[in-house]
Amino acid sequence: QKNGLEAVKRIDYSRSIPDAPIHRGFDQFFGTACCPTTDWLYAWIEGDRVPVPPTQIIDRSALPQHPYSRDNRPGMIAPDFDLEEVDLVLLDRSKQFLRDHVAQTPDKPFFLFHSAQGVHLPSFPANRFKGKTNAGPHGDFIFELDYVVGELLKTLDELDVTDDTLVLFTSDNGPEVTSVINMRGDYQHDGARPWRGMKRDNWEGGHRVPMLARWPKQISPGSTTSQTFCLTDIMATCAAIVDADLPNDAAEDSFNFLPVLNGSQPHDQSVRDFTLHQTISLALAIRQGPWKYLDHQGSGGNNYDQALEDTATNALGQLYNLSSDPGETTNLHFEHPEVAKRLKSKLAELRESGRSVPTR
């Protein structure tokens, strides 16, 4: 806890934060320093200040106690910070930003980055959502996230800016291990199915996440693409939308997917040739077309029994054909050594260069 609780206790909350988001290009910021209901500082940050500093160590005795609630570190909490109402506070602030922007500068584009606490552990649905599903507190939390997204989309409708607004909905990783295991046993729900692995792993369960885009004037309704998209691609895509040039030393792994979104590029013409994956242990994997090579043994992240034995136990890496084996059940490292060698070599090349995007 040297760099956790003790560090939070040493903070001088009368001072401003020297490197807040408002010093990195954002006009406004309201949020937290870390995962809102998980990590050491349970307090709101507005701009570059903590307007209501924490006053005591969090008391978990009054919080819900269930298998989906166990992820609170013993940090300091502010008197105005309610762990069970976090998402509704964030929602209100985002809706207010949208209303203020359209009222004050209706002809100026906006960028809103809304990070929901749902459905990160601990699963603390707000009071109004408790018991709203038949899938326990985690199911209620997912239901609340659905409400939050719906409210943001409804606000765009009310402000009559839906047609010209690109909305992206996605997640930074696959489902949490304890949530998946408990939901399987308690409610026969599997957030990772049909993929192998979960959050922190290099298997598909750790990286394959929803990516939904809505932009009525640009994206055809109901359209899909089989192309592999990475969250790093959001930066280059947004830069292309506003006609901004990215320097070579920024967004070194970001590809422009605007032509895919607006349909100006043929679907059989891939934007990405390779996609890189990284786990919590910094282990790497690389994907090209149907082939995926993991430059390590095991998950690369979690240490648990996946009930799937490696079919090439002597191999130092793993090779899967995702088109025929999306569950990554059969390691083809020895059956296709030329593919494994080629992908391993390309991974080493990209690691050495420090980028996967060609020099701009």
Side-chain angles (χ1 to χ4, degrees):
Q1 298 181 12
K2 178 181 178 181
N3 293 317
L5 176 59
E6 294 306 315
V8 172
K9 287 180 177 179
R10 294 195 302 269
I11 295 175
D12 180 357
Y13 293 98
S14 68
R15 299 174 60 185
S16 64
I17 300 169
D19 195 18
I22 61 171
H23 305 132
R24 293 282 180 168
F26 285 86
D27 296 320
Q28 303 176 37
F29 175 74
F30 180 82
T32 56
C34 38
C35 296
T37 63
T38 299
D39 296 318
W40 311 99
L41 179 57
Y42 302 102
W44 296 114
I45 298 173
E46 185 153 14
D48 58 1
R49 297 275 180 173
V50 178
V52 182
T55 55
Q56 64 184 31
I57 296 175
I58 187 172
D59 178 9
R60 294 201 75 250
S61 64
L63 292 171
Q65 304 293 318
H66 50 70
Y68 310 91
S69 72
R70 299 162 188 164
D71 201 21
N72 300 110
R73 294 181 174 90
M76 297 287 291
I77 187 168
D80 70 335
F81 198 86
D82 187 336
L83 274 73
E84 297 183 78
E85 301 294 324
V86 162
D87 268 316
L88 296 186
V89 173
L90 292 171
L91 173 61
D92 286 343
R93 294 299 294 252
S94 287
K95 290 168 68 174
Q96 191 60 53
F97 165 80
L98 292 171
R99 292 181 180 128
D100 290 345
H101 178 89
V102 173
Q104 298 166 11
T105 53
D107 298 324
K108 185 179 180 181
F110 65 84
F111 177 82
L112 169 64
F113 179 64
H114 181 101
S115 292
Q117 163 62 13
V119 289
H120 191 286
L121 283 180
S123 296
F124 287 155
N127 286 326
R128 61 182 293 188
F129 295 100
K130 292 178 180 177
K132 294 297 184 181
T133 73
N134 295 320
H138 192 63
D140 294 345
F141 210 21
I142 295 173
F143 183 79
E144 181 176 356
L145 174 62
D146 185 63
Y147 169 82
V148 168
V149 175
E151 283 294 297
L152 291 173
L153 296 181
K154 186 168 71 173
T155 302
L156 296 178
D157 290 341
E158 293 170 353
L159 297 172
D160 196 27
V161 294
T162 293
D163 286 349
D164 293 312
T165 302
L166 169 62
V167 177
L168 299 177
F169 176 85
T170 187
S171 174
D172 57 340
N173 48 245
E176 180 59 88
V177 176
T178 52
S179 296
V180 171
I181 293 175
N182 285 307
M183 288 294 284
R184 284 172 178 170
D186 295 343
Y187 302 102
Q188 294 72 58
H189 171 82
D190 191 339
R193 185 180 181 184
W195 318 119
R196 183 182 187 183
M198 306 173 209
K199 178 179 178 179
R200 302 180 192 87
D201 297 337
N202 248 340
W203 293 318
E204 289 295 276
H207 288 272
R208 190 181 289 234
V209 297
M211 178 63 193
L212 306 176
R214 189 188 74 167
W215 196 3
K217 280 194 175 181
Q218 297 286 337
I219 301 175
S220 299
S223 58
T224 62
T225 179
S226 60
Q227 294 204 36
T228 301
F229 183 91
C230 183
L231 294 188
T232 58
D233 299 327
I234 292 176
M235 187 167 185
T237 302
C238 289
I241 291 172
V242 299
D243 199 25
D245 293 326
L246 290 173
N248 273 318
D249 60 351
E252 298 95 336
D253 297 294
S254 189
F255 288 79
N256 172 24
F257 267 75
L258 178 58
V260 177
L261 292 176
N262 61 25
S264 62
Q265 178 171 302
H267 284 290
D268 58 356
Q269 183 178 336
S270 180
V271 173
R272 278 182 162 276
D273 189 15
F274 299 93
T275 303
L276 301 180
H277 299 289
Q278 178 181 298
T279 73
I280 190 173
S281 69
L282 306 185
L284 293 175
I286 184 171
R287 176 173 172 172
Q288 183 185 39
W291 293 106
K292 179 178 174 184
Y293 175 77
L294 287 67
D295 197 30
H296 56 80
Q297 296 178 322
S299 73
N302 295 301
N303 294 317
Y304 53 81
D305 181 10
Q306 275 290 304
L308 281 174
E309 295 183 2
D310 196 326
T311 55
T313 55
N314 295 326
L316 297 180
Q318 301 170 66
L319 179 69
Y320 301 106
N321 188 319
L322 297 179
S323 63
S324 59
D325 181 25
E328 296 171 292
T329 62
T330 306
N331 185 354
L332 301 174
H333 188 279
F334 293 128
E335 283 81 356
H336 295 277
E338 73 290 349
V339 177
K341 182 179 179 180
R342 171 169 54 81
L343 292 178
K344 182 177 178 66
S345 176
K346 187 63 179 181
L347 180 59
E349 175 190 325
L350 297 177
R351 183 192 287 116
E352 180 66 23
S353 69
R355 63 187 303 123
S356 56
V357 174
T359 301
R360 299 185 179 94

